[in-house]
Amino acid sequence: MGFWELLIIAVVALLVLGPERLPGAIRSTMKTVRSIKQFGYQMQAELNDNLRVHELHQKLKDAEAKGMLNLTADETAAIQELTEAANSVRPANAQIMPDATPIAVAKPSQPLNETAVKDENKTGS
């Protein structure tokens, strides 16, 4: 907006609201504008974070497709960043080692609901 447009808006606001309510209206408007800007900055930061996570995930998938061999500098940096992020959310005694192999988790031999039914039949209930 140009100077003359702002001047016309100010004169109309002064005529409509009067000199008593104009300062409060200006403060309210500025507060609303500030909150809208803050919301925009927060949304932009969140979108940037989501795009970065997606980019790191894609590089990790590319590295896994190569069998973690002959990685580019970007893929190595992405793996390092992901490892550091994982280590930062874990307790100090549970650090992920870059050369560690994953531990297999044992699966139960029977589903829990079948075990409960068999135990119930043994008790005679």
Side-chain angles (χ1 to χ4, degrees), residues 4-18 22:
W4 294 110
E5 294 164 338
L6 289 175
L7 183 63
I8 291 172
I9 291 172
V11 169
V12 170
L14 182 61
L15 291 173
V16 171
L17 296 174
L22 186 60

Side-chain angles (χ1 to χ4, degrees), residues 50-61:
N50 285 337
L51 287 173
R52 181 68 180 149
V53 167
H54 179 70
E55 178 185 347
L56 290 173
H57 181 72
Q58 187 62 40
K59 287 180 182 180
L60 180 62
K61 286 170 71 175

Side-chain angles (χ1 to χ4, degrees), residues 16-97:
V16 171
L17 296 174
E20 304 88 31
R21 296 190 310 184
L22 186 60
I26 291 173
R27 279 192 293 274
S28 175
T29 303
M30 293 304 293
K31 184 178 178 181
T32 303
V33 169
R34 251 186 258 120
S35 67
I36 289 171
K37 281 184 179 181
Q38 183 180 10
F39 177 75
Y41 291 141
Q42 288 173 347
M43 290 302 296
Q44 185 177 13
E46 189 173 328
L47 286 173
N48 287 339
D49 288 345
N50 285 337
L51 287 173
R52 181 68 180 149
V53 167
H54 179 70
E55 178 185 347
L56 290 173
H57 181 72
Q58 187 62 40
K59 287 180 182 180
L60 180 62
K61 286 170 71 175
D62 293 344
E64 287 176 343
K66 293 181 179 180
M68 303 300 274
L69 301 172
N70 301 325
L71 301 178
T72 65
D74 287 340
E75 292 167 343
T76 304
I79 291 171
Q80 181 65 30
E81 186 174 341
L82 288 168
T83 302
E84 289 171 3
N87 285 337
S88 70
V89 296
R90 295 184 190 281
N93 59 357
Q95 296 291 310
I96 296 175
M97 299 303 210

